[in-house]
Amino acid sequence: MEKILSDMPLQDPRIIGFTIISGPPEGVPYYPYEEEEGPEFEVIEGDDCIFITAAVDTRAQGAPYVTFQNNSVTLCVGGDEETVIDLDCEIDIPHSFYNVRHGVIDAVCRKKPIQGELVRP
């Protein structure tokens, strides 16, 4: 990245959003999904959150969205087709959210604390 930035012209360089994902840390569950009928998406599970990422279908009618349920997420990358992603834990729906930027939809599902577990700030 440093090489790319150093080779850019000095007059008003602009970078408009990018993401560098080096992959999940060793031992963290990683689930790439490739379905013939549905969208391609990836799920990365961390200690406190589950991250879901998919490319938005810019040709489809309708806006992309995510809806959160207790143990699943419904993903729509545009159009009418929805994909339900089952999760292995309960999520904290009010503190879960999603963003759509630059043709990518990212959902962050906060895990619900297990009864008696210490909650991190």
Side-chain angles (χ1 to χ4, degrees):
M1 188 49 124
E2 185 177 338
K3 171 98 170 91
I4 292 171
L5 292 174
S6 67
D7 290 343
M8 291 181 73
L10 295 177
Q11 57 276 49
D12 196 24
R14 289 185 171 184
I15 298 174
I16 302 176
F18 70 91
T19 301
I20 298 174
I21 300 174
S22 63
E26 195 170 320
V28 170
Y30 170 71
Y31 312 102
Y33 290 90
E34 294 181 26
E35 298 180 7
E36 289 180 24
E37 298 292 322
E40 292 184 16
F41 57 92
E42 66 181 22
V43 177
I44 299 176
E45 183 171 349
D47 291 337
D48 301 330
C49 297
I50 297 173
F51 304 94
I52 301 170
T53 303
V56 172
D57 184 354
T58 56
R59 298 168 303 202
Q61 295 290 323
Y65 62 88
V66 174
T67 56
F68 302 97
Q69 293 83 33
N70 287 328
N71 292 75
S72 65
V73 170
T74 302
L75 172 68
C76 177
V77 295
D80 295 330
E81 190 173 326
E82 297 179 331
T83 301
V84 176
I85 304 167
D86 292 320
L87 304 174
D88 292 335
C89 65
E90 282 193 65
I91 61 171
D92 184 359
I93 295 171
H95 294 103
S96 297
F97 60 94
Y98 72 95
N99 294 311
V100 179
R101 295 179 118 202
H102 307 294
V104 175
I105 188 166
D106 286 310
V108 177
C109 309
R110 294 255 180 226
K111 291 182 179 181
K112 214 176 233 187
I114 299 171
Q115 196 71 2
E117 185 177 85
L118 183 62
V119 179
R120 293 186 220 173

